[in-house]
Amino acid sequence: MKVHWHEDEITFDIKDTGAGIPLDQQARIFDDFMTGNTAYDREVGGTGLGLSIAKRFVSVLGGEISVDSEFGKGSTFCFTLPATRAAPEPEKDGPIAIPVATMPLLVLVVEDNEINRFVVREMLQADGHDVAEARDGQQGVDMAAEKKFDLILMDISMPVLDGRKATRRIRAGTGASAASRIAALTANALPSEREDFLADGMDDVLTKPLKKSDLQRVLGHGDQAALASATFLINPAHSDELFEVVGAQNYQNLLARYSAEAEKLIDWLQSDSALDRTDIANETHKLAGNSGLFGAVGFGEALTVIERAAKAGEDAKLISAVASLPEIWHHSKKALAEVKPKG
């Protein structure tokens, strides 16, 4: 195989020394179910889909594929893809630790259990947020009336005043935090109970023991900057094309694998470990390409922003993009589940 770089594209030449392809068949060799030998007793098996699938994938990536063959002497397959050389990575001192929030928030934790308050406070302060604490629902209502909080984490079962009643009083009043986001904290939440919490005026529901990834998702909720920057989230035409190529069962398997990879990447980006910028760029680049195959263009654009920021050493931009990624994926995953490919 030979690789040729041009100004804005890259070309791959793959040569074989097989039987070659007759001239009259070369124009049709990329069609579905087309093989060079159509005899029923041919020695070489295959469905004739390999080259058609290759053409589909190259087309999805914006490229072109062709063949140059001489019957009896072999073939050379050539495909060209749009590409630009990556800029040299700037020197940076060590890895980067990526906090989820781009700016500190003022968070009120309404929780009667001292240990739970300690754990939530440590999680929030580790990401640079300011934390106030209330030991029961009534104290939470009073504090919310006096000060505007960016987020209120509301325990459900508390003395004096439970979380549901406290939330209703905050929403019904005219206090400083009447319109602030409120997320329930509960050990157990049945689907029907979750609906009740939302009806009380809560914006989200978090289950105990609280996971950092869930907390980070709530902290990023409402930050629509990157979401709004994508012109649209899903391009169904891409999903239709992939579905047509691989079939229904394979499509569902690939979509499940892609979703798992997306969620694994988000967890990795939001882990407590310091991450190398080169690793960040490489991992987001790989998933951005897969996103295009499924038509998840908005999520792919967000990954590309992260990739470019990591390569350029633009840490502020990188941190901001990572913070918005779970929200974009949340909407993208829901939209992908609603796509019904033709076929």
Side-chain angles (χ1 to χ4, degrees), residues 58-187:
V58 171
S59 297
V60 167
L61 295 173
E64 296 180 352
I65 187 170
S66 61
V67 61
D68 181 18
S69 181
E70 184 176 351
F71 188 63
K73 292 188 178 182
S75 307
T76 299
F77 291 88
C78 172
F79 65 94
T80 301
L81 300 174
T84 55
R85 291 182 182 272
E89 184 180 357
E91 295 293 329
K92 285 286 182 178
D93 297 328
I96 178 174
I98 303 179
V100 171
T102 60
M103 59 181 297
L105 302 178
L106 180 58
V107 182
L108 173 61
V109 180
V110 187
E111 166 69 70
D112 66 308
N113 186 291
E114 184 177 356
I115 294 177
N116 289 342
R117 286 201 310 274
F118 172 81
V119 172
V120 176
R121 182 178 69 243
E122 289 298 306
M123 286 184 178
L124 290 166
Q125 290 180 342
D127 282 339
H129 302 296
D130 297 321
V131 182
E133 299 176 35
R135 292 171 173 78
D136 59 60
Q138 185 58 57
Q139 188 178 11
V141 172
D142 295 339
M143 294 178 67
E146 294 295 326
K147 182 177 293 186
K148 186 181 186 306
F149 293 95
D150 297 299
L151 173 67
I152 299 174
L153 298 176
M154 181 73 72
D155 186 28
I156 295 299
S157 300
M158 291 183 292
V160 184
L161 192 68
D162 65 51
R164 294 183 61 182
K165 292 179 181 177
T167 297
R168 290 198 295 267
R169 291 190 184 181
I170 292 173
R171 293 297 190 217
T174 58
S177 293
S180 296
R181 286 186 292 124
I182 302 177
L185 292 175
T186 179

Side-chain angles (χ1 to χ4, degrees), residues 285-340:
H285 176 79
K286 287 191 293 187
L287 194 61
N290 292 341
S291 299
L293 291 173
F294 290 96
V297 292
F299 188 62
E301 288 176 9
L303 291 170
T304 300
V305 170
I306 295 174
E307 177 193 356
R308 291 173 178 170
K311 288 180 176 179
E314 299 173 345
D315 290 346
K317 188 174 184 179
L318 172 62
I319 291 169
S320 177
V322 169
S324 65
L325 197 61
E327 181 75 3
I328 299 174
W329 172 244
H330 171 74
H331 290 281
S332 298
K333 184 178 181 180
K334 181 179 179 181
L336 284 172
E338 296 173 351
V339 171
K340 304 297 181 184

